[in-house]
Amino acid sequence: MPYTDPLEPMLQRADELRRQIALRLVEETGATPPPSPSADQMAAADEAITAWDEQGEEEQDQRAFRDIGPLQELLAEYQNLAEQIYDIRDRRLS
């Protein structure tokens, strides 16, 4: 049985989440999302991910008391997955 890196499916999911975030951003502008996001749309997704990550935990904790939208759900899932990937890579380097 060939070796498969357990991190690979997580990295693929992170890429898929980035793509979904890009398409969701397009959708939230009222436009019909394309089949696949452009480079500019992916850059916008990266900016949204960075902005979400830079928000303080206090602001994100306040969201626990109210409903969050589909974009915020994707961003939260991406952030959680990114933290797991970081932890795995950090343990490998230890």
Side-chain angles (χ1 to χ4, degrees):
M1 177 188 256
Y3 172 77
T4 56
D5 188 347
L7 196 56
E8 188 62 33
M10 296 174 80
L11 294 171
Q12 290 173 352
R13 178 65 184 148
D15 285 341
E16 176 60 21
L17 283 169
R18 280 182 66 235
R19 190 183 76 71
Q20 288 177 359
I21 290 167
L23 295 176
R24 185 66 198 176
L25 287 169
V26 171
E27 190 175 338
E28 288 195 358
T29 65
T32 302
S36 63
S38 68
D40 288 342
Q41 292 164 340
M42 290 301 290
D46 290 337
E47 289 174 17
I49 289 167
T50 300
W52 180 265
D53 190 42
E54 289 176 353
Q55 289 178 349
E57 284 187 29
E58 292 174 9
E59 186 172 335
Q60 290 179 12
D61 286 345
Q62 290 175 5
R63 292 180 188 273
F65 300 105
R66 61 181 177 196
D67 291 337
I68 62 172
L71 176 60
Q72 290 81 11
E73 288 178 11
L74 290 170
L75 290 166
E77 183 179 350
Y78 183 89
Q79 182 181 30
N80 183 40
L81 185 58
E83 289 172 1
Q84 291 176 22
I85 291 169
Y86 176 81
D87 288 345
I88 290 171
R89 286 180 171 166
D90 188 50
R91 278 183 281 168
R92 287 181 178 180
L93 294 174
S94 297

